[in-house]
Amino acid sequence: MVWNRVETYTVAVVWILAAAVFILGFYRFFQEPSRHARALNFSVMHARNQKNWELAAKFAQRSHEEAGKLKEPGRSQLESEIEMQWAEVLYRMGELGQAEDMVRHAISKAERHFAPQSEMIIKGYICWGDICTDQDRHAEAEGHYRKALASETEGNIAGLIFDLERLGDCLIRQGRRADAEQVIEQAIALETMHGREFLAAQGLDPAGYRMSPSSLPDLSFCREQYEEAQRLYREKSQHWDSQEQRPGNIDLGQLLMQLGLSEERAGHYGEAIQSYQRAAAEFERDWCLDHPKAVAARRAVAALSPAAEQLQSQE
């Protein structure tokens, strides 16, 4: 009986000690700087998905502080990943100056540790180009978009099309329509080829299907075919507006801005104002109230309102 009590007591002590060691190891595992930093960086992504930009920025700062406790080369490698996310969050918050500084630092570090084809580096140059675009620095934006495009692999069809669309828009903004048309036609040819290959792989005859590449409205706009462009942009914006979830590279606000500009160029001022107003609302919800994108949309409404009123009075 005594032996059983001693044995029971010993087993209990062993289990208590084992539990204590496990808890201590578990705590130390997750408090180790690199793991803690990555856990916080995951929290950044979660907050971003919730569009809680301020919380995402706080998590990014804490994650960056933890990464700063590491030794090189792990320190700068992890910092580049965190800074890339942080830059995108700051951009969403309308802090364009801070976002540009952050993405510059992130790319500088990332290029020492990752291959040029790294998705992170490509996204960094796209983000940098977008920041420049929002500040009307289109020549600089072009350089960043071209770097992203040069880094894309041939297998990443979606990425190539996305980069070509960005570059085409950038060239149009610079008034270089001939160059833009070539770029947009590349995007259309690539998407058409990919679509036909997909249909053939499914055992379907591509000739029996009508292709409608996503860059088609851009081509009509580039060619100054504004009536056709507005029809295509309207179809495209309505499609994505009806989707509960949209890919990260689909910006409904930007689509509505393109629709509004096409309507404005076609002389449909009332419709253009409505599109700009909807774009402003999208930017305010998905970005922030005073983001340059939202400000630009509201300015477009204000600039067009007198012309719309004058046209209405004449009718």
Side-chain angles (χ1 to χ4, degrees):
M1 188 70 175
V2 174
W3 171 254
N4 288 340
R5 289 178 181 175
V6 172
E7 184 181 44
T8 301
Y9 175 78
T10 303
V11 170
V13 170
V14 169
W15 274 106
I16 291 171
L17 289 174
V21 170
F22 174 80
I23 292 171
L24 179 61
F26 184 85
Y27 177 80
R28 292 185 64 181
F29 179 85
F30 282 100
Q31 289 301 309
E32 195 273 328
S34 66
R35 295 186 179 91
H36 195 201
R38 291 190 182 279
L40 287 166
N41 203 31
F42 181 81
S43 297
V44 175
M45 290 187 283
H46 182 71
R48 281 186 57 183
N49 291 338
Q50 301 298 317
K51 298 180 182 178
N52 190 336
W53 311 122
E54 291 186 2
L55 181 61
K58 289 178 182 178
F59 278 131
Q61 183 175 5
R62 289 176 56 193
S63 179
H64 197 264
E65 289 170 355
E66 287 298 311
K69 298 175 182 179
L70 301 174
K71 295 181 180 179
E72 294 292 358
R75 173 178 174 174
S76 59
Q77 181 175 338
L78 185 53
E79 282 180 343
S80 68
E81 298 178 47
I82 297 166
E83 287 169 356
M84 203 73 77
Q85 281 223 84
W86 197 355
E88 292 179 339
V89 170
L90 289 168
Y91 179 35
R92 286 277 179 175
M93 295 172 68
E95 303 291 344
L96 270 61
Q98 293 182 46
E100 185 171 5
D101 287 342
M102 190 68 70
V103 78
R104 181 188 294 110
H105 293 152
I107 289 176
S108 176
K109 294 175 184 178
E111 288 181 334
R112 300 200 303 266
H113 300 287
F114 299 93
Q117 297 79 19
S118 166
E119 182 182 356
M120 183 178 65
I121 293 178
I122 294 170
K123 287 177 63 177
Y125 276 118
I126 290 292
C127 179
W128 200 347
D130 289 349
I131 291 169
C132 291
T133 295
D134 284 350
Q135 297 176 319
D136 295 327
R137 294 157 49 196
H138 302 303
E140 293 177 63
E142 179 187 348
H144 298 313
Y145 292 144
R146 288 192 183 279
K147 286 182 180 178
L149 185 60
S151 296
E152 292 284 9
T153 58
E154 291 184 4
N156 186 10
I157 304 297
L160 286 167
I161 294 169
F162 174 65
D163 296 348
L164 287 167
E165 288 178 341
R166 276 287 202 280
L167 179 58
D169 179 67
C170 181
L171 293 168
I172 291 174
R173 289 171 186 263
Q174 295 180 69
R176 295 161 56 190
R177 292 183 177 274
D179 294 336
E181 185 171 345
Q182 290 181 356
V183 169
I184 296 168
E185 285 178 338
Q186 279 183 263
I188 291 173
L190 193 61
E191 189 172 357
T192 301
M193 179 188 69
H194 180 63
R196 287 173 177 167
E197 289 177 349
F198 175 79
L199 289 171
Q202 302 301 311
L204 302 172
D205 182 9
Y209 291 82
R210 176 176 172 268
M211 298 289 178
S212 183
S214 63
S215 304
L216 208 55
D218 300 337
L219 184 62
S220 295
F221 185 88
C222 182
R223 291 174 174 173
E224 301 181 327
Q225 299 167 347
Y226 299 123
E227 293 284 354
E228 179 66 5
Q230 71 170 351
R231 182 185 69 80
L232 293 170
Y233 278 130
R234 187 177 295 113
E235 289 178 358
K236 189 175 179 179
S237 61
Q238 287 174 346
H239 168 74
W240 289 116
D241 191 27
S242 66
Q243 305 300 307
E244 291 185 7
Q245 293 184 338
R246 295 189 293 268
N249 62 339
I250 299 297
D251 188 337
L252 183 57
Q254 185 59 37
L255 274 175
L256 290 167
M257 287 294 288
Q258 292 169 316
L259 171 59
L261 187 56
S262 299
E263 292 167 335
E264 181 181 346
R265 297 285 176 86
H268 305 305
Y269 299 145
E271 294 176 4
I273 287 174
Q274 291 179 6
S275 295
Y276 290 144
Q277 288 172 335
R278 289 178 59 204
E282 288 291 331
F283 289 139
E284 289 167 8
R285 180 171 56 252
D286 289 346
W287 298 71
C288 67
L289 182 64
D290 294 322
H291 195 280
K293 292 180 181 292
V295 172
R298 293 195 293 265
R299 283 177 179 169
V301 172
L304 200 55
S305 293
E309 293 171 2
Q310 183 179 2
L311 185 63
Q312 188 174 11
S313 64
Q314 290 175 354
E315 295 175 351

